[in-house]
Amino acid sequence: MNSDSLTRAFVILIRRDLMLAVRHRAEMANPILFFVLVTSLFPLGIGANPALLQAVAPGVIWVAALLAALLSIENVFRSDFEDGSLEQYLLSSHPLSVLVLAKITAHWLVTGLPLLLISPLLGILMGLPVDAIKILFITLLLGTPVLSLIGAVGVALTVGLRKGGMILSLLVLPLYVPVLIFASSAVDTAATGLPVTAHLSLIAALLLLALSLSPFATAAALRVSLS
Amino acid sequence: MFNNFFHRMASPKHFYRLAGILIPWLAVPCLLLTLAGLYYGLVKAPPDYQQGDSYRIMFIHVPAAWMSMFIYVVMAGAGAIGLIWRIKLAEMVAISSAPIGASFTFLALVTGSIWGKPMWGTWWVWDARLTSELILLFLYLGVIALNNAIDDKRMAARAVAILALVGVINIPIIHYSVEWWNTLHQGPTVTKFDKPSIHLSMLIPLLLMAVAFKLYYAFVVLMRARCEVLDRERNSGWVKELAEKT
Amino acid sequence: MNLEEFFNMGGYAVYVWSSYGIALLVLLVNIIAPLRQRKKLLHGIAATARRRARRNA
């Protein structure tokens, strides 16, 4: 088993998942719709005062992104669990953590990336200045993969359970707190015109940490859940 | 010999008996230390010049907050040992720790809130320590919920161990992010929990209570682990014998 | 220091004593719960054993 075939397995798995996602386009749209809908409920709930909206916008958009990510991550192993291909990955000669990383990457491309692309629109709706919207985009670019990576561990732990969904939010949401804090305060700081390199480096550090640890934790959790 | 000792320790039957012997030896000193701590804390220590007598809540709040973190680390450590060396006892200790840790976290939150009322004028302030404790409580509740949701005991123990390990990596990150967030959004009040220096008459009861809480955790976790042993070994001969005697 | 002063806690009686009361309650519950669970487990195991013995007899 050489690294060449491992790369191929990685790419093939991503391509397979992307193809599956394209075939089920309607499902892809759900998290984005949820993201936009939740964010646009806030002006209706708290009033359309521009100053107020701008003040709460970073937090609101990020909390909505968190919930959308949570909603979508639930399905990362769902279909593979139901049709038994998840057990095939476990038996495969390739390291499970790499296959898991491929699954998470594909899932992020399908659900995280659209979130990212639609976010400037939400920034405009909430009256954020252009500089803050740019930073919002960068924080989502760095932050949503972290959400997917952490969420995958939770999903792997709950994949076989009947009431997995409720427990998943309890497991995962507290772990999302640092991302939420750093990201929303980065946008907040950018809106006041101050530099945000420190915030962005912290989120990048979180991303690296999650990237290096989460695949192993997810793989271990899958082995437990499917034993 | 060393190996043999561990092997015997790890056998459920020996553990059950040894724990039964240890529990009173931990519980009695715990009670004595608690009484001493209460005496020095409630009677001997003078009122604080700023906070009057209300600061005496500290003798519960601070040790409880320490325990909440300590127990999570123990839980993750025991879980890791259970995962790596497949030692059932470590798994049981990890599982048994979760409700106790959650209790101490709850206690730290409630006493912090009650202490906050006379100090800040409100029951809740998004103070760094209280916020961290709140998130820690959620982490504990997640562990307990996951354990309850999985029917197979061994599988549940291993799932819990992984979750606890993920949590223990995240706790420092959460803690520092919350502290950082707290300094950014500095509220109208300054935290009164952290004092740079503490007088000896207040330090003594604080340490007494801290040690008492540690002992309390030790014997309660053994009590819970004993129940786990009985539950898992319900089909073995010695458990049946034990059950018939009662 | 007299007793009344002690219970009054410099006017903070409600806060101090409720804190200590809740702490006592939580700590006691954590001791009682495993005691009761142990009793329940042992009774349950004994009952199953008796039922099995009867069925085999």
Side-chain angles (χ1 to χ4, degrees):
Chain A
M1 202 50 54
N2 52 26
S3 66
D4 204 39
S5 88
L6 187 58
T7 320
R8 256 204 17 238
F10 188 84
V11 173
I12 287 172
L13 199 52
I14 290 185
R15 199 181 294 158
R16 164 187 174 271
D17 276 13
L18 290 184
M19 199 146 29
L20 276 175
V22 172
R23 301 244 168 94
H24 300 94
R25 256 159 304 203
E27 277 175 41
M28 253 173 83
N30 284 343
I32 314 168
L33 217 57
F34 178 83
F35 184 46
V36 176
L37 205 64
V38 167
T39 312
S40 50
L41 283 180
F42 274 87
L44 300 174
I46 60 178
N49 176 0
L52 181 66
L53 276 187
Q54 198 192 324
V56 297
V60 165
I61 294 176
W62 254 97
V63 169
L66 233 63
L67 296 176
L70 183 72
L71 198 73
S72 68
I73 196 73
E74 238 196 296
N75 300 320
V76 64
F77 300 127
R78 175 62 46 80
S79 64
D80 281 2
F81 174 73
E82 280 166 358
D83 66 14
S85 32
L86 204 53
E87 282 173 29
Q88 298 301 314
Y89 302 150
L90 258 71
L91 297 173
S92 144
S93 53
H94 297 295
L96 183 57
S97 49
V98 176
L99 301 182
V100 158
L101 188 60
K103 291 289 299 177
I104 299 172
T105 311
H107 188 265
W108 180 79
L109 287 174
V110 173
T111 60
L113 201 58
L115 237 60
L116 195 66
L117 297 178
I118 202 100
S119 65
L121 180 70
L122 292 181
I124 294 168
L125 280 182
M126 298 295 281
L128 278 177
V130 178
D131 285 339
I133 292 178
K134 275 184 208 154
I135 297 301
L136 174 69
F137 190 84
I138 298 173
T139 56
L140 282 168
L141 178 66
L142 292 170
T144 46
V146 182
L147 303 183
S148 296
L149 287 161
I150 297 176
V153 185
V155 177
L157 285 169
T158 54
V159 71
L161 303 178
R162 263 165 287 123
K163 288 178 292 179
M166 260 317 289
I167 296 173
L168 180 68
S169 50
L170 189 57
L171 300 190
V172 166
L173 281 178
L175 302 177
Y176 282 176
V177 166
V179 181
L180 173 66
I181 288 177
F182 292 135
S184 57
S185 86
V187 182
D188 214 20
T189 313
T192 58
L194 293 169
V196 291
T197 16
H199 304 69
L200 297 182
S201 340
L202 281 168
I203 306 172
L206 287 179
L207 175 58
L208 289 178
L209 190 71
L211 206 54
S212 55
L213 293 180
S214 157
F216 296 103
T218 311
L222 280 179
R223 284 190 202 286
V224 169
S225 288
L226 295 178
S227 63
Chain B
M1 195 215 111
F2 197 63
N3 221 345
N4 188 30
F5 170 76
F6 268 105
H7 199 75
R8 276 183 43 167
M9 260 296 294
S11 114
K13 188 181 170 186
H14 276 94
F15 169 77
Y16 186 85
R17 220 175 42 199
L18 191 69
I21 297 167
L22 266 174
I23 285 167
W25 286 97
L26 293 165
V28 172
C30 169
L31 186 67
L32 294 178
L33 281 174
T34 309
L35 290 176
L38 289 178
Y39 175 69
Y40 280 101
L42 292 173
V43 182
K44 276 281 177 174
D48 185 71
Y49 72 99
Q50 260 183 330
Q51 306 186 22
D53 282 310
S54 71
Y55 86 94
R56 294 182 201 277
I57 296 172
M58 174 180 82
F59 300 131
I60 290 182
H61 172 77
V62 172
W66 285 344
M67 288 310 290
S68 64
M69 306 264 179
F70 173 78
I71 293 176
Y72 203 97
V73 175
V74 171
M75 184 170 77
I81 292 170
L83 270 184
I84 297 167
W85 288 289
R86 298 284 159 97
I87 298 175
K88 285 190 199 168
L89 269 184
E91 288 175 358
M92 293 181 203
V93 167
I95 286 291
S96 309
S97 295
I100 312 172
S103 302
F104 276 117
T105 315
F106 172 76
L107 212 54
L109 268 179
V110 171
T111 53
S113 168
I114 294 176
W115 192 7
K117 179 66 184 163
M119 288 305 104
W120 297 319
T122 58
W123 292 105
W124 183 262
V125 168
W126 288 94
D127 155 86
R129 180 183 285 166
L130 285 182
T131 311
S132 290
E133 287 290 332
L134 184 65
I135 295 165
L136 188 61
L137 184 64
F138 291 145
L139 289 177
Y140 271 119
L141 294 179
V143 168
I144 294 171
L146 184 64
N147 183 41
N148 289 339
I150 304 177
D151 295 326
D152 183 282
K153 284 251 165 194
R154 290 222 63 185
M155 202 173 124
R158 289 166 64 202
V160 158
I162 293 174
L163 181 62
L165 280 172
V166 172
V168 92
I169 295 169
N170 272 281
I171 282 178
I173 302 174
I174 293 172
H175 187 77
Y176 286 110
S177 69
V178 166
E179 221 150 71
W180 189 70
W181 162 82
N182 195 241
T183 51
L184 277 184
H185 306 260
Q186 190 63 266
T189 51
V190 184
T191 177
K192 290 198 174 158
F193 287 144
D194 302 302
K195 289 198 166 184
S197 67
I198 181 167
H199 192 260
L200 193 66
S201 62
M202 298 174 185
L203 187 63
I204 288 171
L206 189 64
L207 293 180
L208 281 172
M209 291 305 279
V211 178
F213 276 14
K214 286 242 156 57
L215 288 172
Y216 173 89
Y217 164 62
F219 82 80
V220 173
V221 85
L222 286 181
M223 285 169 79
R224 278 192 185 273
R226 258 159 71 99
C227 291
E228 283 284 323
V229 170
L230 285 183
D231 197 11
R232 285 194 189 192
E233 305 282 320
R234 54 169 67 237
N235 290 321
S236 64
W238 67 272
V239 173
K240 283 183 189 157
E241 256 174 55
L242 196 73
E244 266 153 39
K245 268 187 262 168
T246 51
Chain C
M1 171 186 265
N2 61 27
L3 218 58
E4 198 179 322
E5 224 174 279
F6 174 68
F7 282 115
N8 188 33
M9 276 291 153
Y12 292 113
V14 187
Y15 305 112
V16 174
W17 293 120
S18 62
S19 289
Y20 279 81
I22 290 168
L24 185 71
L25 196 74
V26 169
L27 296 183
L28 278 183
V29 164
N30 265 297
I31 294 177
I32 293 166
L35 282 178
R36 287 186 52 175
Q37 200 199 346
R38 196 176 93 98
K39 201 177 259 178
K40 220 174 84 185
L41 273 169
L42 285 175
H43 276 297
I45 293 165
T48 334
R50 271 198 298 277
R51 224 177 301 133
R52 276 215 192 115
R54 216 175 299 143
R55 203 179 306 147
N56 291 344

